[in-house]
Amino acid sequence: MRKSGVGADRTFQWITAGAAWLVLLLLGGVAVSMAWGGRLAFETFGWQFVTGRNWDVVAGKFGAFVPIYGTLVTSAIALIIAVPVSIGIALFLTDIAPRWSRGPIAIAIELLAAIPSIIYGMWGLFIFAPFMAAHVEPWLNAHVANKALIGPLFSGPPIGIGMLTAGIVLGIMVIPFIASVAREVFSAVPAPLKESAVALGSTRWEILSRVTLPYTRSAVIGAIFLGLGRALGETMAVTFVLGNAHDLSLSLLMPSNSIAAAIANEFTEADTELYRSSLIALGFLLFAVTFVVLTIAKLLLLRMNRQLGRTH
Amino acid sequence: MAIPARRRVADIAAFAFATAATVFGLVWLAWILWTTLVQGAAALTPSLFSQMTPPPGASGGLVNAFYGSAVMILLGVIIGTPIGVAAGTYLAEHGRYTRLAAIVSFVNDILLSAPSIVIGLFVYELVVRNAGHFSGYAGALALAMILLPIVVRTTEESLRLIPDQMREAGFALGLPRWRVTRQILYKAALSAILTGILLGVARIAGETAPLLFTALNNQSWSASLNGPLANVPVVIFQYAMSPYNEWHTLAWAGAFVLTAFVLVLNILVRLLARKGKEQ
């Protein structure tokens, strides 16, 4: 009996180890297949694939600068909105809200992450974009567009569909990811640290800015990178409100494109080998960038965990 | 000693900002849910669950899309769960403290947040291109790949929470390790693992991007997984982007059912988790 037990043990261990290898292979497989599928585009265009502005399906010329630019700009807008809001929410939930309300409010914020992105997209297209076109963008045109420096960013036709709207929707979508990590680490700050600040006469703002944030810095930055990773790769919500335009424009009110939206919109219509390869090459770029961003996020969060004395 | 006015103002401003930020977050949730409820409730009809997706201009339902989604989610769970539980078991038990486990745990967290559209492209390259046609099987495989890291993570975490005394008690009885894992640890972690699977189902139910190039869509009834298969998210996408009013209405109805399903699952998961904690 003992002998069969040992054999079964070994089998069981091999099965679980095999499954673990499969997770690793999955990530490697995605990277390799994207690189392989996109090799035709990379070979044909070289660096022009990244720097070229011309995405011409008919002529078979593919330069992906516009979707890359659109991805970066919308993600930047998303972070500009989501970072302060998420830190505010985390502060509210750890220090300000009445104790009984913290659980329900935290769950409500987390539900923002549960809503499928296609719902964000539909709401964005039918409700939010018309709202932007009717109320926000005319105001921006009238009051911000004439300012120096930032003016050109906010002048353009108020059509609702564009980089600003997409960036705001993305911002809402990443708030729960940043807020939940920030809340967790804020409440893990050792009480004696905060109490000593109180004893020295600090106000709540001073506790946040001089004790809590410095102490949790690496985790908060990690959470921001996590949010960035989400924003870069988000597909459906952006596809609905970005407008699928391949023109480069400085104005945030103009329609644009993103890597994920270009793939979603065009992949099933790609009728030549080069066209399909170009879209897969875009997928490779997206995967590589999010991989780096998420790796940084994970390393920063691990560092925080070690600081808090956790092993995992 | 009174606090100087400037510091007091900064404090009140921070207080007000944090409160406003929370209200800001909750307003979007309320707005989105309210829209989905109002538009969706108006679009709900009995034919939604009895008729096929219609051509433009005609009335119809979403029954083929519901069927396709249900089958692909089920198949995705059947493929993803055993692999996920096994990998999670390796990370927490058999491979604990090994380099492989540390790397896989790290990679798994990256897969959790990786763009789902890339998973769709991967399955296209792997399955659809070789098979020569879109299929429900490819869609289910893509969903399984998204479910997998969620199950790995929750399995690993729930096994780690079990005190080592339980394992030692099992070994003291002379049980081999695999039986300790199967008969003691899985039993103790069962509700947590189920929670993880439910969370995963809630996530893949709304996934659209990975289905666009795998299952695609199918206007008519098809029970076969070996061909393009209708599914709720892609139908919502195509109908919402179309210029036809009837299709918009159907898209809202689908959005309503999908959102209700996902929210109910999420709330169920939280109740389960709370019950597990009380035990």
Side-chain angles (χ1 to χ4, degrees):
Chain A
M1 184 201 150
R2 177 167 296 167
K3 228 173 189 174
S4 77
V6 169
D9 246 4
R10 197 162 294 157
T11 315
F12 195 75
Q13 178 160 356
W14 276 115
I15 292 172
T16 59
W21 273 108
L22 203 65
V23 173
L24 210 57
L25 275 179
L26 184 58
L27 189 91
V30 172
V32 169
S33 93
M34 291 298 105
W36 183 251
R39 73 191 186 287
L40 183 62
F42 287 128
E43 275 167 11
T44 311
F45 303 115
W47 283 107
Q48 281 290 313
F49 183 70
V50 180
T51 55
R53 295 182 189 179
N54 202 9
W55 186 271
D56 191 336
V57 175
V58 181
K61 290 245 182 282
F62 298 101
F65 185 75
V66 173
I68 293 170
Y69 176 77
T71 301
L72 296 178
V73 170
T74 51
S75 298
I77 298 172
L79 286 189
I80 289 170
I81 295 167
V83 170
V85 169
S86 304
I87 291 175
I89 291 174
L91 176 65
F92 183 80
L93 286 173
T94 44
D95 281 344
I96 298 172
R99 211 158 274 279
W100 57 267
S101 71
R102 291 177 187 178
I105 294 177
I107 289 176
I109 296 292
E110 279 171 25
L111 284 184
L112 272 178
I115 296 174
S117 66
I118 185 141
I119 306 296
Y120 278 94
M122 259 192 99
W123 169 82
L125 178 68
F126 289 115
I127 309 291
F128 189 58
F131 172 83
M132 290 289 287
H135 302 288
V136 180
E137 293 180 355
W139 184 88
L140 287 172
N141 268 333
H143 295 95
V144 189
N146 48 16
K147 300 271 190 298
L149 285 173
I150 60 164
L153 291 177
F154 296 101
S155 54
I159 46 176
I161 300 284
M163 286 192 276
L164 183 62
T165 306
I168 295 173
V169 174
L170 274 181
I172 302 165
M173 296 180 79
V174 300
I175 284 172
F177 293 100
I178 305 179
S180 77
V181 177
R183 181 175 86 104
E184 197 186 318
V185 294
F186 280 11
S187 57
V189 174
L193 271 181
K194 286 190 186 179
E195 284 159 6
S196 4
V198 173
L200 290 171
S202 304
T203 63
R204 272 168 311 209
W205 164 242
E206 287 159 355
I207 296 173
L208 175 74
S209 62
R210 296 183 192 178
V211 179
T212 306
L213 278 180
Y215 187 83
T216 57
R217 188 176 52 215
S218 70
V220 171
I221 298 173
I224 294 170
F225 272 89
L226 195 65
L228 177 62
R230 289 273 174 179
L232 290 169
E234 174 50 48
T235 309
M236 298 321 293
V238 175
T239 306
F240 273 98
V241 295
L242 201 46
N244 193 27
H246 274 291
D247 310 308
L248 190 64
S249 167
L250 190 59
S251 169
L252 300 180
L253 308 189
M254 290 296 278
S256 177
N257 216 328
S258 83
I259 296 177
I263 301 171
N265 273 321
E266 299 178 34
F267 193 74
T268 44
E269 291 162 14
D271 46 4
T272 65
E273 217 31 57
L274 185 61
Y275 192 4
R276 194 175 300 133
S277 175
S278 297
L279 289 167
I280 294 175
L282 272 183
F284 176 77
L285 290 180
L286 180 64
F287 184 74
V289 171
T290 49
F291 180 83
V292 171
V293 167
L294 293 171
T295 300
I296 295 172
K298 179 81 178 132
L299 289 173
L300 286 165
L301 291 170
L302 277 178
R303 184 200 280 184
M304 185 74 211
N305 275 344
R306 270 200 294 275
Q307 189 180 331
L308 292 171
R310 298 180 198 153
T311 46
H312 270 270
Chain B
M1 192 180 71
I3 295 171
R6 201 167 53 83
R7 289 175 56 201
R8 218 166 30 211
V9 168
D11 188 49
I12 291 167
F15 191 113
F17 175 77
T19 312
T22 309
V23 172
F24 180 83
L26 295 177
V27 162
W28 298 112
L29 180 73
W31 192 1
I32 294 167
L33 291 184
W34 177 249
T35 303
T36 313
L37 180 72
V38 171
Q39 304 271 359
L44 281 183
T45 52
S47 62
L48 198 62
F49 301 98
S50 63
Q51 292 183 19
M52 305 296 149
T53 47
S59 68
L62 294 171
V63 68
N64 49 341
F66 287 132
Y67 168 82
S69 274
V71 172
M72 281 193 286
I73 291 170
L74 191 70
L75 191 57
V77 170
I78 291 173
I79 300 169
T81 304
I83 302 173
V85 169
T89 307
Y90 184 79
L91 300 187
E93 302 294 326
H94 299 266
R96 210 178 343 177
Y97 309 123
T98 63
R99 183 172 285 264
L100 174 64
I103 295 171
V104 170
S105 187
F106 194 97
V107 161
N108 190 68
D109 267 15
I110 288 173
L111 278 179
L112 264 181
S113 302
S116 57
I117 190 151
V118 176
I119 304 283
L121 282 180
F122 175 55
V123 174
Y124 177 90
E125 286 285 286
L126 198 69
V127 179
V128 178
R129 189 192 274 266
N130 291 327
H133 58 86
F134 298 102
S135 72
Y137 288 122
L141 191 62
L143 294 184
M145 287 182 186
I146 291 161
L147 179 86
L148 177 69
I150 303 173
V151 177
V152 173
R153 171 59 62 247
T154 45
T155 304
E156 184 194 358
E157 275 175 2
S158 56
L159 288 175
R160 272 182 200 285
L161 286 177
I162 300 171
D164 277 341
Q165 284 92 326
M166 296 260 275
R167 299 180 178 88
E168 287 155 11
F171 295 140
L173 290 172
L175 289 176
R177 185 154 195 183
W178 69 280
R179 292 188 63 176
V180 171
T181 305
R182 263 194 45 189
Q183 292 178 321
I184 300 176
L185 302 182
Y186 281 171
K187 226 167 232 175
L190 183 67
S191 81
I193 294 174
L194 279 179
T195 304
I197 297 169
L198 286 182
L199 265 183
V201 169
R203 165 87 193 272
I204 61 176
E207 278 294 347
T208 316
L211 295 179
L212 285 174
F213 338 120
T214 52
L216 197 68
N217 196 359
N218 198 333
Q219 194 81 40
S220 54
W221 173 260
S222 162
S224 164
L225 280 160
N226 198 22
L229 194 60
N231 58 88
V232 178
V234 176
V235 168
I236 294 177
F237 177 53
Q238 291 185 347
Y239 280 20
M241 290 295 235
S242 78
Y244 312 110
N245 275 328
E246 293 87 354
W247 278 15
H248 290 174
T249 310
L250 268 179
W252 278 116
F256 175 78
V257 174
L258 178 60
T259 310
F261 177 73
V262 168
L263 287 186
V264 166
L265 262 186
N266 266 278
I267 289 162
L268 197 72
V269 160
R270 290 195 159 78
L271 292 178
L272 260 176
R274 183 174 297 173
K275 209 172 151 207
K277 252 180 215 158
E278 276 164 10
Q279 279 177 350

PDB file of all heavy atoms in Angstrom, chain A residues 93 96-106, chain B residues 274:
ATOM      1  N   LEU A  93     -12.156  55.987   2.538  1.00  0.00           N
ATOM      2  CA  LEU A  93     -12.574  54.700   3.099  1.00  0.00           C
ATOM      3  C   LEU A  93     -11.746  54.285   4.315  1.00  0.00           C
ATOM      4  O   LEU A  93     -12.210  53.489   5.131  1.00  0.00           O
ATOM      5  CB  LEU A  93     -12.494  53.607   2.028  1.00  0.00           C
ATOM      6  CG  LEU A  93     -13.603  53.667   0.970  1.00  0.00           C
ATOM      7  CD1 LEU A  93     -13.345  52.653  -0.130  1.00  0.00           C
ATOM      8  CD2 LEU A  93     -14.957  53.431   1.606  1.00  0.00           C
ATOM      9  N   ILE A  96     -12.073  58.613   6.768  1.00  0.00           N
ATOM     10  CA  ILE A  96     -13.138  59.601   6.887  1.00  0.00           C
ATOM     11  C   ILE A  96     -14.520  58.977   7.047  1.00  0.00           C
ATOM     12  O   ILE A  96     -15.288  59.370   7.913  1.00  0.00           O
ATOM     13  CB  ILE A  96     -13.124  60.544   5.650  1.00  0.00           C
ATOM     14  CG1 ILE A  96     -11.786  61.287   5.602  1.00  0.00           C
ATOM     15  CG2 ILE A  96     -14.267  61.546   5.738  1.00  0.00           C
ATOM     16  CD1 ILE A  96     -11.577  62.092   4.355  1.00  0.00           C
ATOM     17  N   ALA A  97     -14.831  57.984   6.214  1.00  0.00           N
ATOM     18  CA  ALA A  97     -16.195  57.446   6.184  1.00  0.00           C
ATOM     19  C   ALA A  97     -16.575  56.852   7.539  1.00  0.00           C
ATOM     20  O   ALA A  97     -15.729  56.299   8.238  1.00  0.00           O
ATOM     21  CB  ALA A  97     -16.305  56.380   5.106  1.00  0.00           C
ATOM     22  N   PRO A  98     -17.871  56.980   7.909  1.00  0.00           N
ATOM     23  CA  PRO A  98     -18.347  56.292   9.117  1.00  0.00           C
ATOM     24  C   PRO A  98     -18.089  54.792   8.973  1.00  0.00           C
ATOM     25  O   PRO A  98     -18.229  54.238   7.876  1.00  0.00           O
ATOM     26  CB  PRO A  98     -19.851  56.585   9.124  1.00  0.00           C
ATOM     27  CG  PRO A  98     -20.064  57.699   8.179  1.00  0.00           C
ATOM     28  CD  PRO A  98     -18.931  57.709   7.215  1.00  0.00           C
ATOM     29  N   ARG A  99     -17.705  54.150  10.048  1.00  0.00           N
ATOM     30  CA  ARG A  99     -17.267  52.764   9.983  1.00  0.00           C
ATOM     31  C   ARG A  99     -18.271  51.839   9.294  1.00  0.00           C
ATOM     32  O   ARG A  99     -17.900  50.995   8.491  1.00  0.00           O
ATOM     33  CB  ARG A  99     -16.969  52.264  11.400  1.00  0.00           C
ATOM     34  CG  ARG A  99     -15.894  51.224  11.470  1.00  0.00           C
ATOM     35  CD  ARG A  99     -15.299  51.171  12.862  1.00  0.00           C
ATOM     36  NE  ARG A  99     -14.230  52.138  13.041  1.00  0.00           N
ATOM     37  CZ  ARG A  99     -12.979  51.936  12.631  1.00  0.00           C
ATOM     38  NH1 ARG A  99     -12.653  50.832  12.015  1.00  0.00           N
ATOM     39  NH2 ARG A  99     -12.061  52.842  12.836  1.00  0.00           N
ATOM     40  N   TRP A 100     -19.574  52.028   9.606  1.00  0.00           N
ATOM     41  CA  TRP A 100     -20.587  51.124   9.048  1.00  0.00           C
ATOM     42  C   TRP A 100     -20.687  51.238   7.531  1.00  0.00           C
ATOM     43  O   TRP A 100     -21.104  50.304   6.855  1.00  0.00           O
ATOM     44  CB  TRP A 100     -21.954  51.401   9.674  1.00  0.00           C
ATOM     45  CG  TRP A 100     -22.420  52.835   9.494  1.00  0.00           C
ATOM     46  CD1 TRP A 100     -22.246  53.864  10.354  1.00  0.00           C
ATOM     47  CD2 TRP A 100     -23.106  53.376   8.359  1.00  0.00           C
ATOM     48  NE1 TRP A 100     -22.763  55.025   9.842  1.00  0.00           N
ATOM     49  CE2 TRP A 100     -23.305  54.749   8.619  1.00  0.00           C
ATOM     50  CE3 TRP A 100     -23.573  52.843   7.153  1.00  0.00           C
ATOM     51  CZ2 TRP A 100     -23.957  55.597   7.705  1.00  0.00           C
ATOM     52  CZ3 TRP A 100     -24.218  53.690   6.258  1.00  0.00           C
ATOM     53  CH2 TRP A 100     -24.402  55.046   6.532  1.00  0.00           C
ATOM     54  N   SER A 101     -20.295  52.384   6.981  1.00  0.00           N
ATOM     55  CA  SER A 101     -20.506  52.591   5.543  1.00  0.00           C
ATOM     56  C   SER A 101     -19.313  52.131   4.713  1.00  0.00           C
ATOM     57  O   SER A 101     -19.383  52.069   3.495  1.00  0.00           O
ATOM     58  CB  SER A 101     -20.784  54.072   5.277  1.00  0.00           C
ATOM     59  OG  SER A 101     -19.594  54.816   5.462  1.00  0.00           O
ATOM     60  N   ARG A 102     -18.189  51.797   5.375  1.00  0.00           N
ATOM     61  CA  ARG A 102     -16.979  51.497   4.597  1.00  0.00           C
ATOM     62  C   ARG A 102     -17.132  50.259   3.725  1.00  0.00           C
ATOM     63  O   ARG A 102     -16.776  50.282   2.545  1.00  0.00           O
ATOM     64  CB  ARG A 102     -15.777  51.332   5.537  1.00  0.00           C
ATOM     65  CG  ARG A 102     -15.401  52.657   6.168  1.00  0.00           C
ATOM     66  CD  ARG A 102     -14.271  52.535   7.154  1.00  0.00           C
ATOM     67  NE  ARG A 102     -14.100  53.830   7.813  1.00  0.00           N
ATOM     68  CZ  ARG A 102     -13.221  54.087   8.757  1.00  0.00           C
ATOM     69  NH1 ARG A 102     -12.406  53.126   9.159  1.00  0.00           N
ATOM     70  NH2 ARG A 102     -13.137  55.275   9.298  1.00  0.00           N
ATOM     71  N   GLY A 103     -17.671  49.176   4.311  1.00  0.00           N
ATOM     72  CA  GLY A 103     -17.838  47.936   3.540  1.00  0.00           C
ATOM     73  C   GLY A 103     -18.690  48.142   2.302  1.00  0.00           C
ATOM     74  O   GLY A 103     -18.255  47.860   1.176  1.00  0.00           O
ATOM     75  N   PRO A 104     -19.932  48.646   2.483  1.00  0.00           N
ATOM     76  CA  PRO A 104     -20.802  48.830   1.310  1.00  0.00           C
ATOM     77  C   PRO A 104     -20.212  49.754   0.253  1.00  0.00           C
ATOM     78  O   PRO A 104     -20.307  49.460  -0.944  1.00  0.00           O
ATOM     79  CB  PRO A 104     -22.075  49.450   1.910  1.00  0.00           C
ATOM     80  CG  PRO A 104     -22.073  49.025   3.329  1.00  0.00           C
ATOM     81  CD  PRO A 104     -20.638  48.908   3.739  1.00  0.00           C
ATOM     82  N   ILE A 105     -19.573  50.861   0.659  1.00  0.00           N
ATOM     83  CA  ILE A 105     -19.013  51.774  -0.344  1.00  0.00           C
ATOM     84  C   ILE A 105     -17.861  51.094  -1.094  1.00  0.00           C
ATOM     85  O   ILE A 105     -17.756  51.182  -2.321  1.00  0.00           O
ATOM     86  CB  ILE A 105     -18.515  53.083   0.310  1.00  0.00           C
ATOM     87  CG1 ILE A 105     -19.699  53.864   0.882  1.00  0.00           C
ATOM     88  CG2 ILE A 105     -17.771  53.947  -0.701  1.00  0.00           C
ATOM     89  CD1 ILE A 105     -19.322  55.126   1.610  1.00  0.00           C
ATOM     90  N   ALA A 106     -17.030  50.349  -0.343  1.00  0.00           N
ATOM     91  CA  ALA A 106     -15.915  49.652  -0.995  1.00  0.00           C
ATOM     92  C   ALA A 106     -16.444  48.652  -2.009  1.00  0.00           C
ATOM     93  O   ALA A 106     -15.903  48.517  -3.115  1.00  0.00           O
ATOM     94  CB  ALA A 106     -15.054  48.954   0.053  1.00  0.00           C
TER      95      ALA A 106
ATOM     96  N   ARG B 274     -18.389  35.851   2.813  1.00  0.00           N
ATOM     97  CA  ARG B 274     -18.676  36.247   4.183  1.00  0.00           C
ATOM     98  C   ARG B 274     -19.050  35.022   5.020  1.00  0.00           C
ATOM     99  O   ARG B 274     -18.603  34.864   6.146  1.00  0.00           O
ATOM    100  CB  ARG B 274     -19.822  37.268   4.192  1.00  0.00           C
ATOM    101  CG  ARG B 274     -20.120  37.789   5.582  1.00  0.00           C
ATOM    102  CD  ARG B 274     -21.144  38.885   5.567  1.00  0.00           C
ATOM    103  NE  ARG B 274     -20.690  40.070   4.841  1.00  0.00           N
ATOM    104  CZ  ARG B 274     -21.469  41.102   4.575  1.00  0.00           C
ATOM    105  NH1 ARG B 274     -22.738  41.089   4.937  1.00  0.00           N
ATOM    106  NH2 ARG B 274     -20.997  42.136   3.918  1.00  0.00           N
TER     107      ARG B 274
END
